[in-house]
Structures are given as C-alpha cells and as structure tokens.
Amino acid sequence: MKNIPIILMGCGGVGRQLLQHIVSCRTLHANKGIHLRVVGVCDSKMFLVTPDVLSTEFDDAFLMDICKTKFDRLSLEQCIDSGKCEASSYAESKRKLADIAARIGYVLVDCSASSETIEVITQTLNLGCCAVLANKKPLTCSMEEFDKLFLQPRRIRHESTVGAGLPIITSLNRITSSGDEVASIIGSLSGTLGYVMSEVENGKPFSEVVKAAKDLGYTEPDPRDDLSGMDVARKGLILARLLGQRIDMNTIKIESLYPNNMGPSMMTLEDFLANGLPLLDNDIQEKVKKASLNEKVLRYVCILQNSMCMIGIHEVPKDSALGRLKGSDNVVEIYSRCYEKPLVIQGAGAGNDTTAAGVLADIIDLQDQFP
Amino acid sequence: MKNIPIILMGCGGVGRQLLQHIVSCRTLHANKGIHLRVVGVCDSKMFLVTPDVLSTEFDDAFLMDICKTKFDRLSLEQCIDSGKCEASSYAESKRKLADIAARIGYVLVDCSASSETIEVITQTLNLGCCAVLANKKPLTCSMEEFDKLFLQPRRIRHESTVGAGLPIITSLNRITSSGDEVASIIGSLSGTLGYVMSEVENGKPFSEVVKAAKDLGYTEPDPRDDLSGMDVARKGLILARLLGQRIDMNTIKIESLYPNNMGPSMMTLEDFLANGLPLLDNDIQEKVKKASLNEKVLRYVCILQNSMCMIGIHEVPKDSALGRLKGSDNVVEIYSRCYEKPLVIQGAGAGNDTTAAGVLADIIDLQDQFP
C-alpha cells in the first residue's frame, strides 16, 4: 500500500470538502493501492499535527470533527484533543513543517485564500516535498517567487486554481509538453460573469441581472468583487505564465465592469446596487446590440495571445463554444498547431465539491513521488 | 538530465510523426530536464536496436532516415547500418526486449495497428518497464489480458487510443480517482461519422455524403470500415473498461450503418458505392426528419450508461454540444455527480500530428518512473 501523508492548510469550504472526499474514497483508493494519511491541518490560527507523523494519522472520526467545527465557523482550537493531536499556533507552522519534512515526505495542500502561504509552500518544495494548490494567490505573486515554485515542476499541482476541477491545466501541460504551439487561449473563467453576460444577451438590464445573480448566491457578498475582473485576471495570469509569459498582475489589461468612481472606497454596497449599477445599463445594452448586428455576443473573457493577457468584454461569434455558453459554466478554447479549430473544455468551473475533487485528483497524480 | 529510453513499435503514419516530434522537441524537453533517447524501432518485419542500449541511441539523422524510409513505404531493412544499429527479425522481438529490460528501464511505444503486440507489452510491463499505446487493439482483447496490462496502472498510458490527442482518458482518470461517480458518457468518437451525420442533417443524401467523405480522404479506403462502427466500438470498449465495466467486444451492441447483405464478403466496394449505398438514403432521411420534429439531430455515438455500452445512431438535442457538432471534430460529454451539466471535451480527434502529440505527452507524463 502506497502511503501519502497530507497536511492541509485552510479548512473552509474547499478544504472541508476535501477531507470529506478523502474519507469517502477510502475503499476506492485502497483498491488502487493508495492510502491518504492526513497528518496535519491548519487554519489561520492553529496548526494541529498528529503526535507521531511517521506512524499515526488523524482518524476519520477526528477528520469529521474538524469538518463540523469549520462548518460551524469555529477555530481549530475547538478540536484540540491531547490524545489525537499536538497543537501549535499558525505562526509556528514554518518551523513545524521543517521538522515534519525532516522525517517524512508529505503533500502540502493549500485550500486557503491567503497570499501568505507562499513561504511555506516554497519551503516545502525546497525540502523535497510536494504541494497541491486550490489557492490562486501564491501563483499570482511576483515572477521571481513564481519561478521558485516551479524549480521542481513535477512536485507541484494546481488544477483547481483555474476552472475548479475542469481539466484545463492538465490539458495545457500535455499540449505544451508535446511541442504543440499554443497560438491563443480564450476563455470564460468566471461562472458569475458568464451568467451575467448570457443573461444581458437576452435583453435583461445589466443591473437587474447582477442583482438576481447576487440573490441566487452566484456573486461574492459585494458583487463588485466579481465585476472588477480581478478573480478572472488571477486565472488569466496563471494560464499566461504556464504558456511561458513572464508577466505580473500589473501588466495585465483588466476591464472592470464598473467605473472607479463606483468602487468600494467611493460608494457603499447599498448605494452601488440602488444608484450606481443602473447607470451602467445603457452602455452594456448598446454593446449587446452592436455585437448582435454582427452575429456576435458579448462575453467577459480572458484572452491570451501574442505574449499578451487581456481581461474584459469581448465580442465572440454566436455559434462558437463561447458564444453558445449559457448559465454559469466555464469554457476554454485553446488554439494551437494541432487545434486550428479549438480544443474546447467546458463545464462547471466553481463549487466546493468540484474544486475539492480537482485537488484530490492532483494529490493522487503525485503518487509516483512517494515510495 | 532525466533520460528516457524509448522503443517504438510501428513506424507508419503516427510512429513516423512521433519520431519527428521527438527530434523537433529536443530543446523544449532539454529545458524541462528530459532527454528522450530512442534506442530501438521495429516494424512488422525488422527490429533495429542501438548497439549499446546503455550508452548509445539513434541519432537524429538516423531517425530522419527511418522516417523517410517508412514514408516511402519501404521496410526498416533499408535502414540497416552496421555502425548505427543491430538488426534482428520481428519474430525475435520478445527475446530482444527481455535482454534490454534486463539492462535498462524503457518505454515501449505501440503505434502499430496490430493485435499481436499485446504479448510484448505485457512482457514489458511485467519486467518493470513502461508502455504507451496509440494502438487500440491490445486494450480491446479479452478482459483477462486487459487486466494483465493494468496490474501496474501507473506504468501504462494510452490517451491517443480515444479521440487522438484530446485529453479524454486523462480527464476520465482524474474524475474517477477523485471519487466523482460517472453516471454516463456520450460521445461522437469518429471524425468520419461525425462529418457524415452533420452533413445528412442538412438534407444531403447519405450516399452522396459518404462518397464525398471518401473523396475528401476522411474515410478508410473501403468506407464500410468506418460505417460498420467497429472503430467506434473499440473506443467505447476502452472507455467502458476504464469505468470498471467488465465487458468484451462481443457484449457491445453495435449498430452498423449498412446491412449484412452489403458487407465486404457479399458485395464489392464498387458495387456497394454504386448500388448498395443509395438504397440506404431513404431510411436515414426518414430518421433525420423524425428527429428534427423533436428539435433533435442524429449523431453516431457511443453511449456508456448503467453498465451498458451501445454504439449507434442516437437522437440528441439540437442545442447540446453533441447536437451542435459540425465537421469532423470529436466531442465527449461526461455526466457525473460534479458534472450534472456535462463536462464537455471537443476538438480534432484524428490525424497523425495530433495522435503523435498525445503519445508524446503520455511519454513525458511517465517521467517520474525514470531515475
């Protein structure tokens, strides 16, 4: 039986779902000769480690306790059980991880949303261990820090940073390693903005569509977090860097769907929804009409082409995979020598279940790094 | 530099293209710390091996000689060069491979179309080496023989056996290893039949579409080889077995697009094209019309559901990924817990360039098996 020790950072939605997946897949993985052994978990405050990382692990009951605690939005402090774990503060995690790496190889799984995890991820990789990321932030830091993460590219996986569990990064890595030259990528990488753009196409006012999306729980609590395009830009930057573009967040042209004077520092959320948002309706409606005259529709996309990365509204042919997109699916079109007509990957690109499934597939894909 | 020794079986279209890809990707792979070292090639007659598999390899000039020879439809015998290789007959390949495996680990790459390679592939895997297949035949043998190939599933790859380079098998393996339960798969896995079905949808007679496809070089020399559905059935069987179905070719329900009395043993190709094929027009046209009344279109698909595998004409919604398919693209819709709306993968599913690219990506993906 191959034994893969796991240390999880971030036990919110995705991390919690991952623990549940690990527990429910025990038989499946045993049949493949794999045992996933969770030896540590941490949130922003606490780091819990099994007393002896070489021979013990958190049992399934304890993992389910952790899930319940985090579901109740409590700290891991609640889970401290002297028989089952040793607790230290999150601040000590760097030293603790070094201790563990000296004893066993492990996979550090980052399901947090923090930009601070990059330090322990880099340390983990430098110490010969592996990392799996659902967290986009460490991959959208400076180019210098990004390079450090990929010094040993076979020991890091991050499928769930773009399109949740959709096999976008896996596919892109296969294409580039086969020497096929990617000419361009165009993708709708935000389920929220995909929904918004396909609804305004049907004639509904932008402001009403955004408010409906908020009510459906499709947007962040403040929809401007989606409308700014920053989340799409992070995904675009990750794809761009995989294609070899040496760029930073500040090099990317990002079109925000609201003007600066409606930003969170200028306008409250209530004011934005009631008075700001409706002012944007006409402009969007004009663009929808103009596109329609050319048999095109508007999509909020990421475009990678000619060493450029652009994020914003774009007219796409009505009968392309992007143009036919409905609802909150993600879609990516990859154009290359082999795919003059694009390789299209489409499906649900968000959700804890799907994202955690992508993380778990990444962990399993690292199995050859373990004896 | 990681060194991956390769032995290629079958140097026809795909194999030849693979050798060209390997040569043209030298710098790309060197930058990733990988050197692909071709130490042997064989066709149905000859097996050429480098004089010392431990330290020598076929140089790029020799590999290009092989490509040219096979392009000219000559035997590898023409390439025998006492300074560069040792030649033996294909019949000796089993013994030769055992000798090589005793000295180095290698990847056996099967780009042939033979059902006989299964013996040396199984031997290769049993001896601790790796295999990459573009050849479907070894995977569509008996369940017993199939099981032997997957005793060490990490050492065998076969993406190019379904949909050429499209990341279908990679994606399916990721989904199943994450514990996501696949409910069904429906796919158009023949570029030829995809083209035929989308053309008859536009009102053209079936017989004319098939003849046009033949003239365009989309079909096999005898189009009945495509119309029989056997090639799609092989792909369907491979996907079914990946999902855990323990079935054989003779368990699959295959709908042929021509009746038994028009088969190759009953009718010459000329007679079939001139007199047989037109008799089938009415029936297909009726089906097209019937489907159209329900906002559906006909596709020749593989359906995997409830432990069943069916191959044949099926009505699909006009506005689904399958229904919108045009031309010779392949498309696969995967339905699962995470993908209630399907995960869709679409793109070119044939061609030597794309197929060889998929094989090369598989080889690179095996790199962790090499020291």
Side-chain angles (χ1 to χ4, degrees):
Chain A
M1 188 70 77
K2 186 166 284 202
N3 189 303
I4 306 180
I6 292 172
I7 297 170
L8 172 63
M9 291 194 295
C11 324
V14 173
R16 207 173 66 224
Q17 185 71 64
L18 175 66
L19 294 178
Q20 289 173 347
H21 281 346
I22 288 174
V23 169
S24 65
C25 289
R26 291 275 182 228
T27 311
L28 174 78
H29 290 152
N31 289 340
K32 291 175 183 247
I34 294 169
H35 179 70
L36 301 184
R37 193 158 68 86
V38 182
V39 298
V41 294
C42 68
D43 61 13
S44 58
K45 289 187 190 136
M46 300 299 299
F47 191 4
L48 309 186
V49 183
T50 184
D52 177 4
V53 291
L54 275 175
S55 63
T56 62
E57 66 184 294
F58 293 157
D59 61 32
D60 289 352
F62 190 61
L63 293 177
M64 289 302 98
D65 272 355
I66 291 171
C67 291
K68 187 177 177 319
T69 304
K70 298 307 294 187
F71 182 77
D72 293 338
R73 297 181 179 276
L74 300 171
S75 157
L76 281 179
E77 265 179 304
Q78 306 293 320
C79 299
I80 296 175
D81 174 332
S82 57
K84 292 192 167 178
C85 66
E86 287 169 3
S88 51
S89 73
Y90 177 75
E92 292 173 87
S93 56
K94 199 173 168 189
R95 189 182 53 73
K96 288 296 282 184
L97 287 170
D99 287 351
I100 297 171
R103 308 191 67 195
I104 52 164
Y106 62 85
V107 182
L108 185 64
V109 180
D110 185 357
C111 291
S112 78
S114 163
S115 55
E116 286 168 29
T117 56
I118 187 165
E119 203 179 337
V120 290
I121 296 170
T122 307
Q123 172 189 261
T124 288
L125 294 165
N126 288 343
L127 291 169
C129 297
C130 298
V132 171
L133 282 67
N135 179 9
K136 289 181 274 294
K137 302 256 175 78
L139 300 173
T140 54
C141 52
S142 73
M143 204 58 229
E144 190 189 347
E145 291 188 288
F146 180 88
D147 283 343
K148 282 184 200 159
L149 294 176
F150 286 85
L151 283 175
Q152 294 291 335
R154 295 297 287 181
R155 288 203 266 105
I156 180 167
R157 296 285 192 285
H158 57 100
E159 183 61 86
S160 292
T161 57
V162 178
L166 288 178
I168 296 172
I169 288 166
T170 302
S171 303
L172 204 53
N173 280 337
R174 285 185 63 89
I175 289 175
T176 55
S177 75
S178 75
D180 187 9
E181 284 144 37
V182 174
S184 63
I185 296 179
I186 176 164
S188 177
L189 297 172
S190 158
T192 314
L193 298 181
Y195 171 83
V196 168
M197 299 314 289
S198 69
E199 289 289 297
V200 296
E201 181 189 332
N202 300 327
K204 293 186 194 156
F206 180 65
S207 57
E208 283 182 24
V209 172
V210 171
K211 281 182 230 170
K214 180 173 156 57
D215 292 343
L216 287 165
Y218 285 4
T219 71
E220 297 293 318
D222 185 339
R224 285 173 292 190
D225 288 346
D226 299 292
L227 300 175
S228 71
M230 282 303 290
D231 186 59
V232 177
R234 280 198 198 92
K235 295 171 186 172
L237 179 59
I238 292 170
L239 294 181
R241 286 177 168 181
L242 286 182
L243 291 185
Q245 294 187 20
R246 299 188 61 79
I247 58 173
D248 286 311
M249 277 301 274
N250 55 25
T251 332
I252 300 180
K253 230 179 105 182
I254 308 171
E255 178 183 5
S256 169
L257 289 179
Y258 62 86
N260 276 336
N261 62 8
M262 292 187 194
S265 62
M266 312 285 277
M267 222 179 223
T268 64
L269 173 58
E270 291 66 32
D271 198 13
F272 173 71
L273 292 174
N275 306 309
L277 204 45
L279 298 176
L280 306 174
D281 288 351
N282 271 345
D283 182 46
I284 298 267
Q285 214 49 51
E286 286 299 311
K287 285 182 180 158
V288 168
K289 274 185 204 154
K290 186 169 157 286
S292 179
L293 292 175
N294 305 320
E295 289 294 304
K296 292 193 171 179
V297 291
L298 299 185
R299 292 291 178 262
Y300 192 91
V301 295
C302 152
I303 302 180
L304 305 175
Q305 195 169 23
N306 301 330
S307 312
M308 289 248 302
C309 177
M310 290 170 295
I311 312 292
I313 290 182
H314 191 71
E315 290 186 1
V316 302
K318 258 184 191 163
D319 70 344
S320 65
L322 265 166
R324 290 182 305 243
L325 194 63
K326 293 274 171 282
S328 62
D329 267 8
N330 280 196
V331 63
V332 174
E333 299 178 358
I334 302 174
Y335 295 81
S336 71
R337 187 190 71 230
C338 286
Y339 299 104
E340 291 184 0
K341 281 180 64 181
L343 166 61
V344 177
I345 298 169
Q346 176 169 353
N352 290 341
D353 187 359
T354 312
T355 308
V359 171
L360 186 49
D362 275 352
I363 296 171
I364 299 295
D365 199 37
L366 283 168
Q367 64 181 281
D368 299 325
Q369 303 292 337
F370 292 82
Chain B
M1 190 68 77
K2 185 166 284 203
N3 188 304
I4 306 180
I6 291 171
I7 297 170
L8 172 64
M9 290 194 294
C11 322
V14 173
R16 208 174 65 223
Q17 185 71 65
L18 174 67
L19 293 177
Q20 289 173 348
H21 282 345
I22 287 174
V23 169
S24 65
C25 289
R26 291 273 181 229
T27 311
L28 173 80
H29 291 151
N31 290 339
K32 292 178 182 241
I34 295 169
H35 178 71
L36 300 184
R37 192 159 68 86
V38 181
V39 299
V41 294
C42 67
D43 60 13
S44 58
K45 290 190 189 135
M46 300 298 300
F47 190 3
L48 308 186
V49 182
T50 183
D52 177 3
V53 291
L54 274 176
S55 64
T56 62
E57 66 184 293
F58 292 157
D59 60 32
D60 288 353
F62 190 61
L63 293 177
M64 290 302 98
D65 271 357
I66 292 171
C67 290
K68 186 175 177 320
T69 304
K70 297 308 294 189
F71 182 77
D72 294 339
R73 298 181 179 275
L74 299 172
S75 158
L76 281 178
E77 265 180 304
Q78 306 293 320
C79 300
I80 296 175
D81 174 333
S82 58
K84 294 192 168 180
C85 66
E86 287 170 3
S88 50
S89 73
Y90 178 75
E92 290 173 87
S93 55
K94 199 172 168 189
R95 189 183 53 75
K96 289 295 280 183
L97 287 170
D99 287 351
I100 297 171
R103 308 193 66 196
I104 53 164
Y106 63 84
V107 182
L108 185 64
V109 180
D110 184 358
C111 292
S112 78
S114 163
S115 55
E116 284 167 30
T117 56
I118 187 164
E119 202 179 339
V120 289
I121 296 170
T122 307
Q123 172 189 261
T124 287
L125 294 165
N126 287 343
L127 291 169
C129 297
C130 298
V132 171
L133 283 66
N135 179 10
K136 288 181 275 295
K137 303 254 176 78
L139 300 173
T140 53
C141 53
S142 73
M143 204 57 229
E144 190 189 349
E145 290 188 290
F146 180 88
D147 283 343
K148 283 186 200 158
L149 294 176
F150 286 85
L151 283 174
Q152 294 293 333
R154 296 298 287 181
R155 288 202 266 105
I156 180 166
R157 297 286 193 282
H158 57 97
E159 183 62 87
S160 292
T161 55
V162 179
L166 287 178
I168 296 171
I169 287 166
T170 303
S171 303
L172 203 54
N173 280 337
R174 285 186 64 88
I175 290 175
T176 55
S177 75
S178 75
D180 187 11
E181 284 145 37
V182 175
S184 63
I185 296 179
I186 175 164
S188 176
L189 296 172
S190 158
T192 314
L193 297 182
Y195 170 83
V196 168
M197 299 314 289
S198 69
E199 288 289 299
V200 295
E201 181 189 332
N202 299 326
K204 292 184 195 157
F206 179 66
S207 57
E208 283 181 23
V209 172
V210 171
K211 281 181 227 167
K214 179 173 158 56
D215 292 343
L216 286 165
Y218 286 3
T219 70
E220 296 292 320
D222 184 339
R224 285 173 292 190
D225 287 346
D226 298 290
L227 300 175
S228 71
M230 281 304 290
D231 187 58
V232 177
R234 280 198 197 91
K235 295 172 186 171
L237 178 60
I238 292 170
L239 294 180
R241 287 178 168 181
L242 286 182
L243 291 184
Q245 293 186 22
R246 298 187 62 79
I247 58 173
D248 286 310
M249 277 300 275
N250 55 25
T251 333
I252 301 180
K253 229 180 104 181
I254 308 170
E255 178 183 5
S256 168
L257 289 179
Y258 62 85
N260 276 337
N261 61 9
M262 292 187 195
S265 61
M266 311 284 279
M267 223 181 222
T268 64
L269 173 58
E270 291 65 33
D271 196 14
F272 173 70
L273 292 174
N275 306 310
L277 204 45
L279 298 176
L280 307 173
D281 288 350
N282 271 345
D283 181 46
I284 297 266
Q285 214 50 48
E286 286 299 310
K287 284 181 181 160
V288 168
K289 274 186 203 156
K290 185 171 156 286
S292 180
L293 291 175
N294 304 320
E295 289 295 304
K296 293 192 169 177
V297 292
L298 300 185
R299 293 291 178 260
Y300 193 89
V301 296
C302 152
I303 301 179
L304 305 175
Q305 194 169 23
N306 301 330
S307 313
M308 287 248 303
C309 178
M310 290 169 296
I311 312 292
I313 291 183
H314 191 70
E315 291 187 2
V316 301
K318 257 185 190 160
D319 69 344
S320 66
L322 264 166
R324 289 182 306 243
L325 193 64
K326 292 273 170 284
S328 62
D329 266 8
N330 280 195
V331 63
V332 174
E333 300 179 358
I334 302 174
Y335 294 80
S336 71
R337 188 191 70 230
C338 286
Y339 300 104
E340 292 185 358
K341 280 179 65 181
L343 166 62
V344 178
I345 299 169
Q346 177 169 353
N352 290 341
D353 187 359
T354 313
T355 308
V359 171
L360 186 49
D362 275 352
I363 295 172
I364 298 297
D365 199 38
L366 283 168
Q367 64 182 280
D368 299 326
Q369 304 292 336
F370 291 83

